[in-house]
Amino acid sequence: MDTEDEFLIGPTHRELLDQVLDKWSLSVLSELCERPCRFNELRRAIPQVTQKSLTATLRRLERNGVVEREVVSTRPVAIRYRITPLGKTLRPPIDVLLAWASANMPAITRARDAFDLREEESRMGG
Amino acid sequence: MDTEDEFLIGPTHRELLDQVLDKWSLSVLSELCERPCRFNELRRAIPQVTQKSLTATLRRLERNGVVEREVVSTRPVAIRYRITPLGKTLRPPIDVLLAWASANMPAITRARDAFDLREEESRMGG
DNA sequence: CAGGATCCAATTAGATACTG
DNA sequence: CAGTATCTAATTGGATCCTG
């Protein structure tokens, strides 16, 4: 237990969430929650990701135990990535996050517009 | 209930979550959920953050409408940051995330150790 | 106190080229 | 197919100095 009485985040949790919720992880996990995928399937499903970043993301997720890399010994070997049981437990949190994003997108867009407008005005009047 | 084949994240949601869940945002939001804070209070509460990053984080959160910047016209002006009603709606998702991190930290540590061990072995065994 | 401005180091991303 | 290796461009982070 920490000495803090309230909820504080701490470097350990921060680091973990960084690894599991980073730029491409959410998309990869979303894909793999639906079905196991091969490398190039994932690339096609997430067109913006580069090969390099996808490789890095998969390695990181594998290291953290939420994704599993399976070598299928067919002719020119296939690699199959699948979500692990531990990885599946991430889905509710992710869904809550996505639900929040969907529900509040309009309010956030309004907030951004208002902020940008105030900024612009202060540049002119300031 | 499960979504079927079509839950994809999309650049808009990704960008939003990037802005609101980035490296320092979670810590800042956690602090501000408890009480309004001044700039240097936040710095002390999150010792690792630099002034530059804290400023950037606060601006971003303000722009997205989850944090409010209030100028208190006392003698050498005080600035008070507080969470907005919109920002408060972020707390359940964050709590779910933190709960997940806490609950699964041991499993993840084991996964990391196992992965690192496999890596090390494969470096030795060729 | 609450930053802005600036310089620099380090990390990260993108584009190619190549391999078993 | 599933990557590794490499180079470079762009972004980020830290340290320092400065101000109202």
Side-chain angles (χ1 to χ4, degrees):
Chain A
M1 272 260 219
D2 283 343
T3 52
E4 294 294 330
D5 45 3
E6 298 292 341
F7 89 117
L8 240 197
I9 285 209
T12 318
H13 283 189
R14 259 249 45 81
E15 187 210 357
L16 170 54
L17 294 177
D18 268 349
Q19 301 231 334
V20 164
L21 295 180
D22 86 302
K23 186 168 186 190
W24 298 113
S25 295
L26 280 189
S27 302
V28 169
L29 290 172
S30 298
E31 282 303 315
L32 295 183
C33 272
E34 296 177 32
R35 64 186 183 288
C37 280
R38 300 177 58 171
F39 189 83
N40 283 340
E41 283 184 293
L42 285 171
R43 289 191 72 172
R44 280 188 294 274
I46 313 165
Q48 302 90 344
V49 75
T50 62
Q51 169 270 316
K52 189 180 175 181
S53 300
L54 181 56
T55 302
T57 300
L58 286 168
R59 284 291 167 282
R60 198 164 1 82
L61 294 178
E62 190 194 353
R63 178 169 185 265
N64 285 278
V66 297
V67 158
E68 196 178 10
R69 182 177 185 272
E70 176 199 4
V71 181
V72 185
S73 321
T74 48
R75 293 274 280 80
V77 296
I79 308 288
R80 183 174 309 281
Y81 291 97
R82 64 176 71 245
I83 196 133
T84 63
L86 175 59
K88 275 183 188 147
T89 68
L90 247 178
R91 190 164 178 178
I94 289 180
D95 281 345
V96 170
L97 236 37
L98 292 180
W100 181 87
S102 289
N104 296 286
M105 189 70 79
I108 288 171
T109 301
R110 281 196 301 278
R112 286 177 180 178
D113 290 347
F115 182 92
D116 294 347
L117 190 60
R118 285 200 303 275
E119 247 201 346
E120 200 178 325
E121 280 170 356
S122 76
R123 263 203 304 276
M124 293 178 62
Chain B
M1 51 167 74
D2 281 354
T3 15
E4 294 80 21
D5 48 355
E6 270 300 339
F7 101 116
L8 239 198
I9 287 207
T12 318
H13 283 187
R14 260 249 47 80
E15 186 210 359
L16 171 53
L17 294 176
D18 268 349
Q19 301 230 335
V20 163
L21 296 180
D22 86 301
K23 186 167 185 190
W24 300 112
S25 296
L26 280 189
S27 302
V28 169
L29 290 172
S30 299
E31 282 304 314
L32 295 183
C33 272
E34 296 177 34
R35 64 186 183 287
C37 281
R38 300 179 56 173
F39 189 83
N40 284 340
E41 281 184 293
L42 285 171
R43 289 190 72 173
R44 280 189 294 274
I46 313 165
Q48 303 89 345
V49 75
T50 62
Q51 169 267 316
K52 189 181 177 181
S53 300
L54 181 56
T55 302
T57 299
L58 286 169
R59 285 291 168 282
R60 199 167 354 88
L61 294 178
E62 190 194 353
R63 177 168 186 266
N64 285 278
V66 297
V67 158
E68 197 178 9
R69 183 177 184 271
E70 176 199 4
V71 181
V72 185
S73 321
T74 49
R75 346 74 183 234
V77 296
I79 308 288
R80 182 174 308 281
Y81 292 95
R82 64 175 69 245
I83 196 131
T84 63
L86 175 59
K88 274 181 188 148
T89 67
L90 248 179
R91 188 162 181 181
I94 289 180
D95 281 345
V96 170
L97 236 37
L98 292 180
W100 181 88
S102 289
N104 296 285
M105 188 71 81
I108 287 170
T109 301
R110 281 196 302 276
R112 287 177 180 177
D113 290 346
F115 182 93
D116 294 347
L117 190 61
R118 285 200 304 275
E119 246 200 347
E120 199 178 324
E121 280 171 356
S122 75
R123 263 202 304 274
M124 293 178 64

